[in-house]
């Protein structure tokens, strides 16, 4: 179990780092400030995307913080 815990902690650290970086840039960590997320590989066929649920499509860190 110690091994699993180590991975969990590593992922958590990585996530915290990503969020801290996004915060310093003022962008949403889920979409990197784009305001939308690509839908897997289908995007190449349909060219569709959906608004980022984290920031409601604004791409701003403040909005992401409010929804999280
Ligand atoms: Zn976003």
């Amino acid at each position: 179990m110690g091994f699993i815990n180590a991975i969990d902690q590593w992922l958590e650290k990585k996530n915290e780092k990503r969020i801290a970086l996004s915060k310093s840039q003022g962008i949403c960590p889920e979409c990197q400030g784009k305001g939308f997320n690509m839908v897997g590989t289908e995007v190449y066929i349909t060219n569709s995307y959906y608004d980022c649920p984290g920031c409601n499509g604004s791409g701003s860190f403040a909005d992401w913080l409010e929804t999280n």
Side-chain angles (χ1 to χ4, degrees):
M1 291 308 275
F3 183 63
I4 302 284
N5 283 340
I7 292 179
D8 270 359
Q9 280 175 12
W10 178 73
L11 283 176
E12 207 165 287
K13 269 227 168 85
K14 218 178 152 194
N15 203 31
E16 278 174 16
K17 245 185 163 178
R18 192 171 59 104
I19 289 171
L21 185 71
S22 298
K23 188 181 181 183
S24 72
Q25 297 174 329
I27 59 173
C28 168
E30 279 181 48
C31 61
Q32 273 78 50
K34 292 193 301 286
F36 61 86
N37 289 313
M38 294 296 183
V39 189
T41 51
E42 290 159 49
V43 69
Y44 297 113
I45 305 160
T46 62
N47 201 27
S48 68
Y49 56 86
Y50 63 93
D51 281 351
C52 173
C55 60
N56 290 320
S58 75
S60 116
F61 183 83
D63 286 337
W64 176 82
L65 206 61
E66 264 179 42
T67 59
N68 282 271

